[in-house]
Amino acid sequence: MKYMCSSDIFRKKKLILICIIFAFMLSACADPSNKETAQPVSNEETAQPADKRTEAPDSDEVLLYKEALKDNASPGEDNNYEITQVRRGDFKYEMFAIGSVEYRDLYYETMETEEAEIVEYKVSTGDKVNKGDVILEYNPVYDEASYKQRKAAIEQQEKEYAAGYDTRRAEIIKAEHELKEIKDDNEKEIKRLEIEKLKLALKKYQETSDDLARQKADLAEYSEGMKKTKIVASHSGYIMELAQTENENILYKGNVVAVISPKKDYCIKVNDTTHGMLRYNADVTISVAGKQGGADIQMPGKVVMCSNILTYGNTTEEAYVEILDEPKGVDWSGAIKIYFESKALNDVLLLDSKAVLFENKSEGSNAVSVPYVYIYKDGGIFKRYIQVFGSNNKDYLVLSGLDEGQEVAVYNK
């Protein structure tokens, strides 16, 4: 009976030992260091959306052996995926910006009267006008008291100037007469120097008459402006813009009343929000929407002004494109797009854009898209996170995570 108890104890110990060994083996299989075990991806390990540079999670685990589509299966007609390869080639990333016609041959009609009250515009924006056509009728705002005061002040300055001039001129004449009476050579030299000094003073005094002349011209222009009641077109063309007044229809001297253009010389103004990707002197394609049901019209262009040639303080979100070869019959009232290459790289790793998928990761209010692919390896298909640059609608530029010639599955859902 004692022997049987020892045997039972031995069997129980052997069973416990086997369980421990089996548990250890299971623990080894589940070891996080095993590269065949998937690791979770946090928000901090993700990168930018697909249209920007995107990065793989910062992890030693790149190849994740999970989510296999069909283990130990070969691609073919019976499977829901195809195989493509990572290859080397040239990458061109094309973008577009919205543009509008900008006319460079512009003429500005300005108010010449000191102050005027608008009576009536005779044209509207977009109207065609001929040289001499009336654009605006107005009533001059005449300040009679101010005019008389300015006139009296100028007349008084003229009298004072004339008196000062006569006095200085008389001093010179007197000195020249005294010079003729002097016999001593030293005294003559002293008198000559005195005369030269008086002449220089007279010349300096005459310069003050320039300001007086300007005042008289301004007053005469003011008086002449009181006789005018209309502004006419100085050039033939189309009304591009009319004055917008905020002071009860009052215009002042120098205000732009209307902008006219014959619409002969123009370029494309671009709303450039690419922060310098639209480069100076770059070749672009101008695309103008065709008429309803018609194809878009395309033509070559070149960037003639943009922000990345300006100083930081002068940068704007505007660029200008010159039209190089304009087809006939273009309707510039349609939508205008400017297509350009923002990145062009040679001999880089490329992958079919259909092979790149994105996994949305979010934590709180933050959300990012993490790119990944399905690797075809040893008859199996496995998930791998990678780094890419935005697609050009054909390929992604591979930054890291894949090698040339590597096979990737294009998963057809």
Side-chain angles (χ1 to χ4, degrees), residues 176-184 188:
E176 290 176 339
H177 179 72
E178 291 174 348
L179 177 62
K180 294 177 181 179
E181 301 297 327
I182 298 174
K183 303 301 182 182
D184 185 77
K188 281 186 176 181

Side-chain angles (χ1 to χ4, degrees), residues 160-227:
E160 292 175 355
Y161 174 80
Y165 179 86
D166 291 342
T167 299
R168 287 166 174 77
R169 184 71 185 119
E171 290 177 345
I172 295 172
I173 294 173
K174 180 182 177 182
E176 290 176 339
H177 179 72
E178 291 174 348
L179 177 62
K180 294 177 181 179
E181 301 297 327
I182 298 174
K183 303 301 182 182
D184 185 77
D185 290 341
N186 288 332
E187 291 183 5
K188 281 186 176 181
E189 183 62 26
I190 293 172
K191 182 57 72 172
R192 290 191 186 98
L193 292 173
E194 181 184 339
I195 293 171
E196 186 64 29
K197 183 178 179 180
L198 290 172
K199 287 182 176 180
L200 288 173
L202 178 61
K203 184 177 180 181
K204 188 71 175 177
Y205 182 74
Q206 286 177 305
E207 292 177 358
T208 63
S209 66
D210 294 341
D211 181 62
L212 183 58
R214 282 193 295 271
Q215 291 185 54
K216 290 178 67 177
D218 289 344
L219 186 62
E221 188 175 346
Y222 178 81
S223 178
E224 187 65 26
M226 294 305 102
K227 303 175 185 178

Side-chain angles (χ1 to χ4, degrees), residues 8-24:
D8 289 341
I9 292 172
F10 176 78
R11 283 196 298 270
K12 288 181 180 179
K13 289 183 177 180
K14 183 177 180 180
L15 181 60
I16 291 172
L17 180 61
I18 292 174
C19 290
I20 291 173
I21 294 173
F22 184 73
F24 178 79

Side-chain angles (χ1 to χ4, degrees), residues 34-53:
N34 190 336
K35 292 189 177 181
E36 295 185 2
T37 304
Q39 300 296 321
V41 181
S42 68
N43 269 337
E44 297 178 352
E45 297 173 330
T46 58
Q48 303 300 323
D51 58 342
K52 299 180 181 178
R53 174 174 173 152

Side-chain angles (χ1 to χ4, degrees), residues 327-345:
K328 293 182 180 180
V330 178
D331 180 8
W332 289 105
S333 63
I336 302 173
K337 292 183 179 180
I338 306 299
Y339 290 92
F340 60 97
E341 292 178 2
S342 66
K343 186 180 289 290
L345 300 173

